[in-house]
Amino acid sequence: MSGLNPQQREAIRYLDGPLLVLAGAGSGKTRVITQKIAYLVQDCGFQPRNVAAITFTNKAAKEMQERVGKLLSPAIAGELQISTFHSLGVRILREEARALGYKPRFSIFDSADCAGIIGEAAKTVDKATLRIVQSIISNWKNALVTPEVALHRARDEHEKLAAHAFLTYEATLKAYQAVDFDDLIGLPVKLFSELPEIADKWQNRLRYLLVDEYQDTNACQYQLLKLLTGVRAQFTAVGDDDQAIYGWRGADIDNLKKLPAEFPALKVIKLEQNYRSTVRILKAANAVIAHNEKLFDKKLWSELGHGEQVSVTACRDNDAEAEGVVMKLQAHRFQNRGKFSDYAILYRSNHQARIFEEYLRDHRVPYLLSGGKSFFDKAEIKDITAYLRLLTNEDDDPAFIRAATTPKRGIGAATLQVLGTYAGERHISLFQAAFEEGFAQRVQPRQLEPLLEFCQFINRTQERAAREPAHQVLPDLLKAIDYETFLYDHEEERTAQTRWANVGQFAEWLNMKGELDGKTLVELTQSIALINMLDKQNDEEVDAVQLSTLHAAKGLEYHHVFLVGIEEGILPHRESTEPSKIEEERRLMYVGITRARQSLAISWCERRKQAREFIPCEPSRFIDEMGRDDVRFLGGKDAVPADKATGSARLDALKAMLANKR
């Protein structure tokens, strides 16, 4: 407990009932959670297997596991249930699948798999409409709205389309013995609500619950927590109402409001000492967030010194902003002998990154783009990988459905639904079910024929893939499924060219890897998933400037932060200026400010180039809300007059310094 402040110590030791820890940005919340886990096991006699900590990302769960492993031991940490909400849901469902009418080896469909089913149910191929419909259905499921209720609630055209597709979508998933990501939380809620004896079993197994980022929970996750903790209500929820920025994704800040009402014995402990930022940065953050209505009053403070003033720069346009940020960043790094990874450029929306990427590339500054799509996440690569997965394991149902329907080969949704229902009854895979006489009796010969033809093709290719080199099997596979024609039939020519080139690159990479490692296509497929995972984890060790949206930056910190494009219409977003949404936009600004440890530079443009014309811009209202005490304004009408000669001399010196460096 040494090195902890009194509030952190109290939060760790409190076990007399439900606890809400209001943890401000940078207040050491992960330390409190990990130390509390150690305290429960070492001092309070809890068995590790009876303690569960729930986070929102695999990365956070992994970090927590590692930190607990250092406090206890890796073996004991391994017994703890430290996972994301979704991983916990999978564990519950695998064990209790039969009670819900699923086989234990049910399939989990990703967003792309689900989009195909929703597209058929909604009878649309328009990608924008499909995205909206998929998002509406997901939000309904997270709010525990059933398809029947959705039909009554639907207001506009998109919601009506979604409501009609919802029922078919749910029936199709069940027929395929599959669940989507939202079901991983929704189905355990249904299970525990309808079967109290199963809820009791899990309440006895998970005797103490710790929940991280509690403000990001949705209605469904909140119900799961209530059902898991039961009447004992032995839990610690750690969250910050000032960092609730995922309302658009279904997160419900009302879950924080409900806690004191639904758990009258709730104890609230505030962590207000910040171990990350300087006093001036926190002053700006506190001033902004004070404009929001508060659920719980708290004010961050720091002992890390006053630090530099926050700078606000008015730029001529977006080119000038990008150039100015890159120049300042390089000069600052050079003067302070820092690393590129000490710096982050943060923005509201992904499209803002492009111009900064250009200037960073021009000045040979290494950078990482947060949230960039992995090569293995591209639809065309996932299509081909589905075939490869099926060659490796014919019981892989999601791979079976994707391969059987991409490209289309006369196997319709109705056939697959009958196949899914039959496979579910027999507790076997879709592939196996296709060959059984019992299934053949349920469909017409014209439905059965293309299905058997596909399965026999997989069997033939499987035999070759297990013994022949990849460079012999793969071109034949692509030719047999006629994937190139499929792309050109379904996409505009340029898109089809790009996607077919990606497939070529993937095939080339597999062939080369096969020859180098002497592996068959089946052996290579088993390593693709692992390569994909590592691809996403290697970013951390690179010395590069981080480019990120504000949403993706939550939970992270950087020595020096550039907050860019802080204008009306961008932050706050033009569609979020009504009173109900402006508070979340303000919290987004607060999150941006509190990512900075030592320096914070904010910029906005007086005009912004859109297409071929310049649009005049106004600074964001949030800049004014920071106050003026510890803020230095540069450029624009608020600029502090500077000594011109000194300013010019300094700029010349910086340019010379950078020129010499290059």
Side-chain angles (χ1 to χ4, degrees):
M1 295 274 180
S2 65
L4 293 166
N5 65 41
Q7 291 76 22
Q8 289 174 325
R9 277 200 291 275
E10 187 187 5
I12 289 165
R13 289 189 172 132
Y14 186 82
L15 290 174
D16 294 339
L19 171 66
L20 172 62
V21 179
L22 278 176
S27 62
K29 71 178 174 70
T30 308
R31 190 173 179 195
V32 167
I33 295 171
T34 51
Q35 293 271 10
K36 184 153 192 170
I37 293 170
Y39 177 68
L40 288 165
V41 173
Q42 284 179 324
D43 298 70
C44 305
F46 277 83
Q47 292 298 317
R49 65 177 178 277
N50 296 142
V51 178
I54 307 175
T55 69
F56 272 83
T57 65
N58 289 320
K59 189 179 171 189
K62 187 168 170 272
E63 185 195 339
M64 208 175 278
Q65 192 98 39
E66 284 167 1
R67 285 170 75 162
V68 174
K70 286 173 187 165
L71 293 171
L72 298 167
S73 75
I76 292 174
E79 284 184 61
L80 295 157
Q81 310 285 325
I82 299 178
S83 68
T84 62
F85 270 101
H86 292 97
S87 302
L88 177 63
V90 170
R91 197 154 61 245
I92 294 167
L93 290 179
R94 290 267 183 242
E95 199 169 312
E96 312 295 349
R98 284 198 167 87
L100 283 163
Y102 287 86
K103 57 182 182 185
R105 292 185 62 187
F106 60 82
S107 301
I108 300 167
F109 279 12
D110 68 13
S111 179
D113 296 323
C114 297
I117 300 171
I118 291 172
E120 292 224 352
K123 296 181 176 53
T124 180
V125 289
D126 179 64
K127 286 179 181 167
T129 304
L130 194 53
R131 269 198 304 274
I132 293 166
V133 168
Q134 196 167 3
S135 169
I136 292 169
I137 290 175
S138 176
N139 285 338
W140 277 334
K141 291 180 89 161
N142 287 329
L144 295 169
V145 174
T146 63
E148 294 76 16
V149 173
L151 275 169
H152 290 295
R153 283 198 191 172
R155 295 182 306 274
D156 59 32
E157 283 313 301
H158 281 131
E159 285 191 359
K160 284 173 187 163
L161 183 62
H164 286 289
F166 193 4
L167 204 57
T168 311
Y169 171 62
E170 291 287 81
T172 307
L173 279 180
K174 189 73 193 272
Y176 288 169
Q177 284 284 299
V179 299
D180 63 17
F181 250 53
D182 301 319
D183 289 330
L184 298 178
I185 318 289
L187 287 174
V189 167
K190 180 178 161 67
L191 182 77
F192 294 157
S193 304
E194 293 173 2
L195 300 166
E197 67 279 13
I198 294 180
D200 281 350
K201 172 181 146 185
W202 282 89
Q203 285 167 12
N204 285 320
R205 186 180 298 182
L206 305 178
R207 301 186 75 83
Y208 201 94
L209 237 63
L210 300 103
V211 186
D212 191 14
E213 304 286 10
Y214 178 77
Q215 76 283 348
D216 293 337
T217 54
N218 58 40
C220 201
Q221 287 159 338
Y222 179 67
Q223 282 307 318
L224 181 61
L225 292 174
K226 279 182 69 179
L227 290 162
L228 274 173
T229 53
V231 288
R232 280 200 309 268
Q234 284 281 71
F235 68 82
T236 295
V238 182
D240 181 7
D241 49 328
D242 291 335
Q243 293 187 74
I245 57 171
Y246 291 112
W248 53 277
R249 211 169 61 184
D252 191 353
I253 198 167
D254 277 352
N255 291 349
L256 268 170
K257 290 179 189 168
K258 281 178 198 163
L259 273 183
E262 297 197 7
F263 297 93
L266 183 79
K267 167 100 169 163
V268 179
I269 296 173
K270 298 174 189 175
L271 303 184
E272 295 171 294
Q273 182 173 358
N274 174 288
Y275 294 94
R276 176 188 297 160
S277 309
T278 61
V279 171
R280 280 176 159 146
I281 290 168
L282 289 185
K283 215 167 163 186
N286 284 332
V288 168
I289 207 67
H291 288 78
N292 270 6
E293 201 178 309
K294 306 292 276 182
L295 281 182
F296 305 93
D297 214 34
K298 71 174 190 315
K299 207 164 194 179
L300 294 182
W301 58 277
S302 164
E303 290 179 339
L304 299 175
H306 255 56
E308 297 174 26
Q309 280 185 307
V310 173
S311 73
V312 174
T313 306
C315 306
R316 188 182 66 252
D317 53 34
N318 21 353
D319 269 298
E321 181 182 40
E323 186 178 22
V325 165
V326 174
M327 290 282 284
K328 273 186 203 164
L329 188 154
Q330 281 188 292
H332 190 280
R333 178 181 162 272
F334 190 78
Q335 283 174 321
N336 293 279
R337 295 187 167 79
K339 295 187 298 202
F340 285 116
S341 54
D342 292 340
Y343 297 84
I345 300 172
L346 308 180
Y347 36 81
R348 173 68 172 82
S349 303
N350 273 311
H351 68 85
Q352 291 171 260
R354 192 183 54 78
I355 194 162
F356 290 94
E357 285 190 79
E358 281 174 26
Y359 277 94
L360 288 165
R361 277 200 301 268
D362 288 349
H363 288 83
R364 297 198 287 279
V365 175
Y367 67 89
L368 283 172
L369 192 62
S370 170
K373 208 175 194 186
S374 158
F375 182 71
F376 291 96
D377 283 339
K378 293 180 188 294
E380 59 273 22
I381 304 305
K382 289 179 98 166
D383 286 344
I384 305 307
T385 307
Y387 282 89
L388 302 184
R389 278 165 49 193
L390 201 51
L391 297 178
T392 309
N393 168 23
E394 69 260 22
D395 290 343
D396 185 335
D397 287 349
F400 178 92
I401 289 165
R402 189 165 189 140
T405 55
T406 317
K408 290 210 181 304
R409 50 171 56 78
I411 303 169
T415 310
L416 287 172
Q417 277 194 27
V418 177
L419 182 67
T421 305
Y422 178 80
E425 289 166 11
R426 297 269 293 112
H427 299 292
I428 55 177
S429 69
L430 297 173
F431 190 90
Q432 206 179 328
F435 289 103
E436 293 209 348
E437 187 57 38
F439 166 67
Q441 288 169 6
R442 296 191 187 186
V443 289
Q444 302 293 324
R446 61 181 170 74
Q447 290 174 287
L448 185 62
E449 197 182 324
L451 188 64
L452 287 178
E453 204 176 292
F454 168 70
C455 293
Q456 283 152 1
F457 163 69
I458 293 296
N459 274 338
R460 288 194 304 276
T461 314
Q462 207 171 25
E463 285 170 24
R464 289 185 61 196
R467 59 172 199 272
E468 292 178 32
H471 69 88
Q472 287 176 8
V473 185
L474 201 56
D476 290 352
L477 172 70
L478 291 171
K479 197 173 173 187
I481 65 174
D482 205 7
Y483 194 74
E484 186 179 9
T485 307
F486 161 75
L487 286 178
Y488 279 92
D489 285 350
H490 285 80
E491 302 284 358
E492 290 171 8
E493 191 172 351
R494 276 183 65 182
T495 310
Q497 276 173 349
T498 306
R499 292 182 66 185
W500 180 241
N502 287 337
V503 172
Q505 196 183 331
F506 180 49
E508 209 174 292
W509 175 79
L510 279 171
N511 292 340
M512 183 188 71
K513 200 136 182 59
E515 282 179 30
L516 275 177
D517 303 346
K519 286 185 174 179
T520 63
L521 196 53
V522 164
E523 289 166 332
L524 283 172
T525 303
Q526 288 160 343
S527 59
I528 288 174
L530 187 64
I531 292 161
N532 188 11
M533 274 158 34
L534 294 174
D535 198 39
K536 291 174 177 175
Q537 285 169 13
N538 281 344
D539 293 351
E540 293 163 35
E541 292 112 49
V542 182
D543 183 26
V545 174
Q546 183 70 55
L547 264 64
S548 172
T549 62
L550 289 165
H551 284 103
K554 190 164 87 76
L556 303 175
E557 56 182 56
Y558 304 93
H559 288 284
H560 311 287
V561 167
F562 291 90
L563 261 183
V564 300
I566 308 301
E567 295 145 32
E568 287 292 310
I570 294 179
L571 185 70
H573 193 273
R574 65 180 176 278
E575 288 169 20
S576 302
T577 51
E578 66 262 33
S580 63
K581 291 182 180 174
I582 197 74
E583 292 207 341
E584 183 155 322
E585 293 293 298
R586 189 174 283 113
R587 291 194 288 268
L588 206 47
M589 178 73 172
Y590 174 82
V591 164
I593 294 171
T594 53
R595 296 314 91 202
R597 297 177 68 176
Q598 294 167 330
S599 78
L600 173 66
I602 294 170
S603 56
W604 64 279
C605 298
E606 293 174 328
R607 56 182 198 160
R608 189 167 281 277
K609 194 170 190 179
Q610 286 180 7
R612 291 189 175 179
E613 54 178 335
F614 281 99
I615 312 290
C617 305
E618 289 291 320
S620 167
R621 66 193 75 183
F622 303 144
I623 290 176
D624 250 355
E625 291 175 2
M626 290 192 309
R628 304 201 155 234
D629 294 353
D630 292 278
V631 183
R632 186 170 85 249
F633 290 88
L634 307 161
K637 62 180 189 306
D638 292 319
V640 177
D643 176 345
K644 262 191 177 168
T646 315
S648 306
R650 185 168 172 179
L651 189 62
D652 290 343
L654 283 180
K655 282 181 177 169
M657 188 166 72
L658 291 171
N660 290 336
K661 184 170 172 278
R662 288 171 79 179

